[in-house]
Structures are given as structure tokens and as C-alpha cells.
Amino acid sequence: MSVTAELRLWEIVDEAAHAVTDQSGRFRKGDLEAEVRQRLAATDLEAHVQAAALDKLVHGLVRGWGERRSPNPRRKSGMFHPEGVLKLGSGIWVWMDLATPTDLLEWGRLSTRNLARVARAEADRQDYVAERLDAFRQHGDLLLGQLERIVFGYVHDPDSSPDAE
């Protein structure tokens, strides 16, 4: 997938998000999906952008399939299923039925690392929320964007992207 095509896809989603946003700044995910679907179905969409959209569709389907096949501790029959899949990192997956002790160990280590990363990210989110809520108590008439600029000194960099890095 070319960088240009991927950027165009994100631009399409961004434009669609703005199109379905109401005056309060809210939009529904389902409305966004419908708008993106309509824009991607347009016959004038460049071939390389259509190919990039197909790549993203395939990636999403495979990722979703892998998530459905991942061991689930809440499954009534237990975590093991012969057609379950262990994700070992670096794009390597193994059927549970054929997994070795080394595979199981690597899957467990990866799971622990992911848990630690998620816990750190959640702690950062909760710190951010707590700081902003404290500031809102003193500046209750502001919206978050105003609060960030006035209280926390946010200055917009036109070269920065809102996309997660």
C-alpha cells in the first residue's frame, strides 16, 4: 500500500467524520461507517486508493479472525480449542493444537508485556482525566479545547497530526 493511498484513505475518513458531526461535536460511529462506506463506493475513487482500502479490509478481517480465535479465559469449555490461535509476536501465529511448550511460553510472555503496556497507558489516561477534571472545577464554563489552551498552554502545531503515534 502506498503512503499516498493510505493518506488519502485517512483523509476520506476524516472528511466523513466532519460531515457526520453535529453542532455539539458529537457523532455516531455507525453514521461514520456509513458515510465512509458511501465515499469508498464512489466510482471516481482512484485505483490505488481502492487497493489500499481493500488492503485495510483484509487486515481488519484477519485481525478480527485472530481475535476470535485467541484463547478466552471466559469460554465455557476453557481456554484451549484445537483451532484456537496463539499470537507469538512478529506476525507469527500458531494453531493451539500444534503449539509447543516454547510457543506457549512466548505467548504468555507477550501477554504479560501487553498487560503492562495497557496498564501504563491506562494510568496515563486516568492521570490526564483527573488533572483536567480538577481544572474544570475552577473553570466550569470552558470546553476541553479552551481548557487545554488557557490552563495547560496547548499551542497548535500545524505540522502535528492528531493520529496516534
Side-chain angles (χ1 to χ4, degrees), residues 101-152:
T102 303
D103 293 335
L104 192 62
L105 182 61
E106 183 58 29
W107 176 71
R109 286 180 180 154
L110 185 61
S111 180
T112 299
R113 282 194 304 268
N114 287 341
L115 177 61
R117 190 170 47 248
V118 167
R120 280 191 306 272
E122 186 58 27
D124 291 344
R125 262 189 295 277
Q126 294 306 320
D127 288 346
Y128 175 84
V129 168
E131 286 177 357
R132 275 35 182 199
L133 288 176
D134 285 345
F136 268 128
R137 285 185 193 89
Q138 297 173 2
H139 306 277
D141 56 330
L142 299 178
L143 297 171
L144 182 58
Q146 297 166 317
L147 191 76
E148 287 288 349
R149 289 173 183 85
I150 294 167
V151 177
F152 294 99

Side-chain angles (χ1 to χ4, degrees), residues 36-63:
V36 169
R37 183 178 296 109
Q38 180 180 357
R39 289 171 187 244
L40 290 178
T43 56
D44 62 341
L45 197 62
E46 302 92 334
H48 71 285
V49 176
Q50 287 178 338
L54 183 58
D55 287 347
K56 290 221 174 268
L57 172 63
V58 168
H59 177 76
L61 286 170
V62 169
R63 184 182 60 240

